[in-house]
Amino acid sequence: MTTEPDTPAGPVLVTGATGRHGGTGAHVVHRLLEAGRPVRVLTRRPGAQARELRALGAEVVIGDLHDRRSLIPALRGVPLVYFAYPIDSGIVPAAANLASAARETDAPPRVVVMSMGPATPEHPSALGRAQWLAEEVLAWAGLDLTVLRIAAQFHENLKLLFTRSVRDESRIRNSFGRASVSWISGRDAAELASAALLHPERFAGRTVHHLAGTEMFSYPEVAGKLTELLGRTIDHRPVSVAEWHDELVALSAGGDDTVNVAMAGHISAVGGEIAERGMRLAADPARFEQLTGRRPTPLDDFLAAASAAWRP
């Protein structure tokens, strides 16, 4: 991937580079550096991930999307921003802070937003509705936006949400029912974001891009794949939205910091919506290849690489 001749030469500000959900931010940093673009990583606190990114050549600055004062210097000289927020509450004030700080710069940056399929004003998920409103705030600020609403489950969700139940009970429980679900790897979602940052002409013509995953599998089919991979029967048990929500809340209360209460409400609501209405977009690997110039990662490859997590 190469930069466009007219691409501004200043650093790209990357938020979420030290996040864990899908690891999109860190992969975006890698792709930008490979393309020869300077990168400025915004992080709330230094740590091992930040040190690794600095060692690769990224500039690391301390700042917080919930502290507008810290964003003013972070945005100085920045022509491009990658905006990704955790699956947690607080995205609307974070977007407002970013928008306000960006408008204070001499030349407001173009912003690429890592969004989600549930980002609609009427979705059952409170986080989905908040994501939509955050994008409205950025648009009201008059920023040049490219919004990537990726309507797919990340491969990484399988480890995040089901490691314990598959390892200890040989079971997947969730509210997705038997619906066919669109899947994409976190790295491939980052490839779409990198393409939007470096090749804006591929996303010209509209602000919001509704993007599907690259494969379709139901959770019973995923359980079948795990059965074959692990050599023991993995069951899928559909449960109600309320039941799965309570299980996820209990998981977070039990000291597992990979899931928070807001995420529990979000993912259980998403599952119920898909079980009832199905996926609104079918997987489209050809579109992914057209936008990124790369072949997508198969779910089978992810499962094989992660199989040790599910073995007793």
Side-chain angles (χ1 to χ4, degrees), residues 68-273:
R68 180 185 179 279
R69 297 166 299 176
S70 71
L71 300 180
I72 301 296
L75 285 164
R76 192 168 293 127
V78 166
L80 287 170
V81 174
Y82 172 67
F83 179 64
Y85 194 81
I87 307 298
D88 203 350
S89 57
I91 190 173
V92 175
N97 282 329
L98 177 65
S100 175
R103 283 173 58 86
E104 194 167 307
T105 64
D106 292 335
R110 182 166 65 89
V111 180
V112 173
V113 180
M114 175 60 73
S115 184
M116 58 174 89
T120 68
E122 303 298 333
H123 198 277
S125 165
L127 293 190
R129 299 191 301 272
Q131 177 77 39
W132 172 83
L133 185 56
E135 292 160 14
E136 291 288 288
V137 169
L138 294 170
W140 295 335
L143 299 179
D144 182 4
L145 291 180
T146 302
V147 178
L148 308 178
R149 288 192 185 154
I150 300 178
Q153 293 290 294
F154 282 4
H155 295 171
E156 291 79 3
N157 284 358
L158 292 167
K159 279 186 66 177
L160 183 75
L161 301 173
F162 306 113
T163 290
R164 289 188 183 181
S165 65
V166 170
R167 183 189 62 214
D168 300 340
E169 305 170 35
S170 297
R171 179 168 294 154
I172 293 174
R173 286 187 300 271
N174 61 28
S175 59
F176 283 84
R178 302 187 179 281
S180 189
V181 177
S182 182
W183 293 93
I184 192 169
S185 78
R187 282 177 171 264
D188 285 347
E191 291 288 352
L192 290 167
S194 301
L197 288 163
L198 293 169
H199 299 275
E201 77 285 352
R202 299 179 188 175
F203 296 82
R206 60 183 184 275
T207 298
V208 177
H209 298 263
H210 297 273
L211 300 170
T214 56
E215 294 177 292
M216 301 289 290
F217 296 108
S218 68
Y219 271 95
E221 289 173 322
V222 172
K225 288 177 176 293
L226 286 171
T227 294
E228 183 176 352
L229 180 67
L230 300 176
R232 68 182 199 275
T233 300
I234 307 299
D235 295 325
H236 173 253
R237 178 173 295 180
V239 297
S240 69
V241 170
E243 286 178 282
W244 196 31
H245 171 267
D246 290 347
E247 287 185 18
L248 292 172
V249 169
L251 187 65
S252 67
D256 189 334
D257 64 354
T258 60
V259 180
N260 58 62
V261 173
M263 182 189 293
H266 170 69
I267 193 67
S268 57
V270 169
E273 174 80 355

